Amino acid sequence: MSKLKLGNIRDDKPVKLSIELPAQVHRDLAAYAEILGTENGQTLEPAKLIAPMLERFMKTDRGFAKARKALREKKIASTLAASDSS
């Protein structure tokens, strides 16, 4: 069994997006879906992998986590400043 970064795919309520992918990315996505589906005994649509892949990417991107934290702190500070001036 290979060590894929994705596990079982959750069936959450989706938000519809329309995207264009380069052909090679789509071929790789289809191959990934086939391999993951074989390992998990599922039939997976390649499009169903995009959200979990993005989610995993963002969870492991330290730069994003740091910037997101700074943005939250900035929003909290500006909210507190606005309520203090009222």
Side-chain angles (χ1 to χ4, degrees):
M1 187 176 283
S2 63
K3 299 233 179 205
L4 299 177
K5 290 190 177 200
L6 291 181
N8 288 336
I9 305 300
R10 294 177 302 200
D11 191 18
D12 290 337
K13 184 178 178 180
V15 174
K16 189 144 183 117
L17 297 176
S18 178
I19 63 168
E20 291 184 21
L21 299 174
Q24 184 59 51
V25 172
H26 183 264
R27 286 190 291 272
D28 289 344
L29 191 61
Y32 200 108
E34 183 179 352
I35 294 165
L36 184 62
T38 299
E39 287 187 358
N40 294 332
Q42 299 173 300
T43 301
L44 297 172
E45 293 289 325
K48 292 282 187 183
L49 301 182
I50 295 170
M53 286 178 161
L54 287 172
E55 179 182 32
R56 178 150 176 116
F57 174 80
M58 289 185 286
K59 280 184 179 179
T60 60
D61 186 324
R62 291 182 183 171
F64 172 66
K66 186 176 178 180
R68 186 176 187 184
K69 182 180 177 185
L71 180 63
R72 284 182 182 157
E73 290 171 355
K74 182 179 176 182
K75 285 182 180 180
I76 290 170
S78 67
T79 300
L80 290 175
S83 66
D84 288 343
S85 65
S86 300

